[in-house]
Amino acid sequence: MSDEQVKLDALVVGGGPAGLAAALTMARQGMEVGVLERGDSCGSKNVSGLLYTTVLSDLLPDYLDSAPLERPVSRRTLAFLDGEAHWSATFGAEAWSAAPCNHTHVVHRPQFDRWFAEQTEEAGASILDSMVVEGLVYEGDGPGKRAVGVQVRDDEPLYADAIVLADGANCLVTESAISELGLAKGKKPQTWALGVKQIVALPREKIEDRFNLDPHEGCALDFFGSPFEGLVGGGFLYTGRETVGVGFAAKAESFAARKLKPREVLDAFCRHPVVRKYLQGGELIEYSCHMIPESGYLAIPELIGNGVLIAGDAAGLVNMSLYHEGSNHAMASGRAAGQTAAKAHAAGDFSKAALQPYVSQLQDTFVMKDMAKYQEIPEIMDALPELFSLYPRKLCSLLIDFFTVSQQPKADTQKAAIRKFFAGLPKLQGAHNLWKARKLV
Ligand SMILES: Cc1cc2nc3c(=O)[nH]c(=O)nc-3n(C[C@H](O)[C@H](O)[C@H](O)COP(=O)(O)OP(=O)(O)OC[C@H]3O[C@@H](n4cnc5c(N)ncnc54)[C@H](O)[C@@H]3O)c2cc1C
């Protein structure tokens, strides 16, 4: 390295929840840290719905005072849609509206990530916006090959002892590092879901009126059924203070297989009478698409190489069950990566062996335990696409048929409804599939 080359203790690729949690943790341990973010500001390119804050509350215990949180999720709904009909189950608790609000908030990621970046800067890290990392710089060969820096687009390389890769889903830098350092041996290839979301502005009173909320309450609704016919996935609707986020996530390859366009699916979802009534008169202010890693536990690469730690979506750490937990996993893994890097810094050893505590520490947390618990979900989703549209539709029409008022004797109505429910399902398959579906919860 020449005298003019810039070298820090650690460089973090990506200023999302994983990268910022890692940078904050390392900066607090006195390390000189730079976060390289390709967007104009952290979060400018990020999309998500709910933010689970258990890890954030450890990292920044006063976050409720200053973080730009939209509304707590005090009520949740699971809804099944069929044509123009619907069936839903709603649950919630008063306690979920009071701090810490069940650690679940609706956020706008551009605002939230910018705030998180400010906290990280206050802790001493440098946030370097508009810096696109094109790849890593390596030294050595074979098992001794190690990452020593990053190549930034249109700029000189930057060097560091530790590099935390937190470039999110569809992460070209991490993918190339995994291949250069041989970190995916024996792992399943990663596949992706496509998340599509739009934000609709509505006056605060309208939102509270339509969703039956007090000013300090919010809600999250998950949808399955007819608007997503043929896709492996479902929709969501979250209330912000003066906005409603509406979107869906589905296996990317199921769009191609069904020749469906994401925008058209979203429009069909928004036109469903249940959804339309919530959004009516609103102004569309943002539309975004983003990939979500969906292969689960068996596709998680080795999380460390010489000089490298991988965290968050870049490592595929998303829980694709009904909990949809990504950003909390990202922060937990970023924090663990930062803690290990700080120990390596103190010991002056950034070899793969010295970074091993990151892996063992993460194995002991809810992140890896949950990823392991839900490891069969990708297979279930592939094997039983009907769980996402056919069954929700059938369940919905069963209830509608049961409660449609007529002069027919109830026994006949019920028999006909049950016969219709099972029509088209091979014998016993329904029960067998529902038994398998328990693993989604
Ligand atoms: C539609 C949708 C809905 C979701 N809903 C939820 C939800 O309800 N709850 C939940 O917990 N999770 C949800 N998620 C998932 C959640 O958003 C992610 O798990 C989380 O953002 C992962 O954080 P991260 O820091 O690993 O990656 P990201 O948040 O993606 O951050 C990565 C950062 O790296 C930057 N970057 C990428 N490449 C480069 C490069 N070459 N150079 C420099 N910078 C780079 C990006 O600009 C970005 O800022 C949702 C995702 C989508 C798409």
Side-chain angles (χ1 to χ4, degrees), residues 13-20 36-39 41-52 109 113 131-134 166-169 171-173 194-197 236 238 248-249 289-293 311-314 317-318 323-328 330:
V13 182
L20 293 170
L36 301 155
E37 167 55 46
R38 68 179 169 182
S41 60
C42 288
S44 59
K45 294 183 181 289
N46 294 346
V47 186
S48 74
L50 301 184
L51 182 77
Y52 299 106
R109 283 289 302 279
D113 288 14
M131 300 275 265
V132 181
V133 175
E134 295 193 319
D167 45 339
C171 40
L172 301 181
V173 182
L194 178 68
V196 180
K197 182 180 174 187
F236 58 82
Y238 303 139
F248 70 94
C289 289
H290 208 275
M291 302 306 258
I292 307 172
D313 277 19
L317 297 175
V318 176
Y323 294 96
H324 314 307
E325 195 165 5
S327 31
N328 209 23

Side-chain angles (χ1 to χ4, degrees), residues 45-347:
K45 294 183 181 289
N46 294 346
V47 186
S48 74
L50 301 184
L51 182 77
Y52 299 106
T53 58
T54 54
V55 179
L56 182 67
S57 67
D58 289 344
L59 290 170
L60 294 160
D62 296 331
Y63 75 100
L64 283 170
D65 298 336
S66 63
L69 306 170
E70 288 285 309
R71 286 177 190 264
V73 176
S74 43
R75 211 172 59 222
R76 302 193 73 140
T77 297
L78 285 178
F80 297 143
L81 307 177
D82 176 31
E84 306 242 304
H86 64 100
W87 178 81
S88 62
T90 296
F91 50 96
E94 279 299 304
W96 289 2
S97 313
C101 304
N102 192 33
H103 285 288
T104 313
H105 282 86
V106 176
V107 292
H108 290 318
R109 283 289 302 279
Q111 284 96 315
F112 174 79
D113 288 14
R114 211 175 308 129
W115 169 86
F116 197 7
E118 283 161 16
Q119 311 305 307
T120 305
E121 257 183 329
E122 271 175 33
S126 304
I127 309 287
L128 308 163
D129 293 330
S130 306
M131 300 275 265
V132 181
V133 175
E134 295 193 319
L136 300 191
V137 180
Y138 300 94
E139 270 180 14
D141 262 321
K145 185 167 182 172
R146 67 186 183 110
V148 294
V150 303
Q151 182 58 56
V152 179
R153 183 178 296 165
D154 301 327
D155 220 322
E156 296 297 316
L158 296 171
Y159 294 87
D161 291 322
I163 297 166
V164 177
L165 294 175
D167 45 339
N170 219 6
C171 40
L172 301 181
V173 182
T174 296
E175 274 175 18
S176 137
I178 286 173
S179 141
E180 289 280 344
L181 298 170
L183 304 181
K185 285 182 198 129
K187 304 290 177 180
K188 253 179 64 179
Q190 186 60 261
T191 54
W192 309 98
L194 178 68
V196 180
K197 182 180 174 187
Q198 62 187 29
I199 296 183
V200 175
L202 274 167
R204 176 191 282 254
E205 319 76 66
K206 277 228 159 88
I207 292 178
E208 287 162 9
D209 207 30
R210 286 179 189 179
F211 290 88
N212 191 22
L213 298 170
D214 279 341
H216 62 287
E217 292 177 330
C219 61
L221 296 84
D222 285 302
F223 294 89
F224 300 95
S226 54
F228 312 106
E229 193 67 60
L231 292 175
V232 180
F236 58 82
L237 213 153
Y238 303 139
T239 53
R241 255 171 298 154
E242 297 186 335
T243 55
V244 175
V246 55
F248 70 94
K251 213 173 164 50
E253 61 195 36
S254 60
F255 288 96
R258 297 282 166 156
K259 296 196 171 62
L260 289 169
K261 295 204 174 88
R263 181 80 231 195
E264 288 166 7
V265 176
L266 183 60
D267 288 346
F269 176 43
C270 293
R271 277 197 307 272
H272 189 281
V274 170
V275 179
R276 192 182 63 223
K277 282 179 195 136
Y278 287 128
L279 303 176
Q280 217 160 317
E283 184 196 351
L284 175 63
I285 54 172
E286 195 181 302
Y287 173 81
S288 47
C289 289
H290 208 275
M291 302 306 258
I292 307 172
E294 54 127 41
S295 293
Y297 190 66
L298 301 176
I300 297 172
E302 267 194 88
L303 297 176
I304 47 168
N306 293 315
V308 169
L309 307 99
I310 310 175
D313 277 19
L317 297 175
V318 176
N319 176 348
M320 289 298 281
S321 71
L322 269 181
Y323 294 96
H324 314 307
E325 195 165 5
S327 31
N328 209 23
H329 282 194
M331 284 188 242
S333 57
R335 172 179 62 179
Q339 286 167 341
T340 296
K343 284 192 189 126
H345 176 64

